[in-house]
Amino acid sequence: MSYTRRKVFVSYHHANDQFYADRLKKFYSETDTIIDRSLPEAFDSNDDDYILSQIRQKHLKDSTVTIVLIGQQTWARKWVDWEIYSSLRPYGDRTVNGLLGILLPGVSKNRLPPRFVANYKEDFLGNQIGYARLITWNMIAPPQLWQLFSNNEVQKKKEILINSIEQAFLNRKNTYLINNTLPRYKYNHSTNN
């Protein structure tokens, strides 16, 4: 299978979903599926403007697709909202990123981040017709050690992720589908509901 490795930025709730981010980035970088342009760790600063500028200049600038790992509390996280916001707007010589959500185990579509929801649409048959694309973790979950011997299973998961990233990448030409009008989060929202 011939394909172009895309430079991806992975957005996620660092406190809750680091395990999934680590597995995704390690396995799919090592198997030549993606080129990871994500943050190596959360920024240690109280200056929101500084952090956002660093994310834009050092990570998003060199990426073409943003993957959002969607866990139970991702919808409420300020930085995930800001990373999606920045991914969907051009600045300088940078164009917009494609947008791909990955629902983590046990998370339903009613837990999508609001800015993602504004860009994700399905028709009455369930076909994805909005700017954002959405898949589940189980479709692409890196195999456990014992599964590494099943090259067929690994190849299927790689193809699903490659095709999903490529769909998001190609959707960048459909900027008319982008809805980035929601106000940016000023703080993390309550997750008590």
Side-chain angles (χ1 to χ4, degrees):
M1 175 180 177
S2 176
Y3 62 94
T4 301
R5 285 174 67 196
R6 301 296 178 195
K7 295 179 181 179
V8 301
F9 177 85
V10 181
S11 178
Y12 59 98
H13 181 196
H14 286 253
N16 285 8
D17 303 320
Q18 189 69 54
F19 168 80
Y20 294 103
D22 290 346
R23 285 190 68 202
L24 176 85
K25 294 188 289 185
K26 181 173 175 34
F27 180 77
Y28 285 109
S29 291
E30 289 177 358
T31 58
D32 295 327
T33 306
I34 64 171
I35 301 169
D36 181 23
R37 296 299 303 141
S38 304
L39 305 176
E41 56 191 35
F43 277 97
D44 185 19
S45 173
N46 292 327
D47 184 343
D48 289 349
D49 291 332
Y50 167 77
I51 294 171
L52 193 54
S53 74
Q54 292 300 298
I55 290 170
R56 278 196 309 255
Q57 293 171 17
K58 294 184 177 176
H59 301 280
L60 280 173
K61 180 181 180 182
D62 193 33
S63 66
T64 56
V65 173
T66 297
I67 293 177
V68 183
L69 296 180
I70 303 169
Q72 288 292 343
Q73 296 180 6
T74 306
W75 66 270
R77 306 308 299 172
K78 172 177 75 171
W79 287 111
V80 171
D81 178 64
W82 287 20
E83 290 163 351
I84 296 171
Y85 170 83
S86 293
S87 295
L88 295 177
R89 65 185 276 265
Y91 50 89
D93 60 351
R94 183 194 171 284
T95 61
V96 298
N97 274 17
L99 187 58
L100 172 63
I102 301 176
L103 281 174
L104 297 180
V107 179
S108 68
K109 288 182 184 177
N110 67 357
R111 297 303 258 181
L112 297 174
R115 194 171 307 279
F116 190 92
V117 170
N119 290 281
Y120 180 76
K121 304 284 184 272
E122 291 181 0
D123 65 14
F124 67 95
L125 295 174
N127 298 312
Q128 298 180 27
I129 58 173
Y131 187 77
R133 295 292 177 252
L134 185 65
I135 59 175
T136 66
W137 177 259
N138 292 337
M139 295 168 73
I140 59 94
Q144 299 294 333
L145 208 48
W146 61 268
Q147 292 174 310
L148 287 177
F149 298 107
S150 172
N151 195 31
N152 193 29
E153 182 70 22
V154 170
Q155 193 58 37
K156 283 181 193 175
K157 289 179 182 237
K158 278 181 63 172
E159 287 178 18
I160 290 169
L161 184 59
I162 289 166
N163 290 334
S164 299
I165 289 171
E166 194 63 20
Q167 288 171 2
F169 177 84
L170 294 173
N171 220 21
R172 297 181 326 146
K173 69 182 180 293
N174 298 324
T175 56
Y176 65 92
L177 294 172
I178 293 175
N179 179 350
N180 209 14
T181 59
L182 294 172
R184 284 187 312 185
Y185 282 9
K186 294 186 186 304
Y187 51 86
N188 293 324
H189 290 259
S190 171
T191 59
N192 295 332
N193 48 357

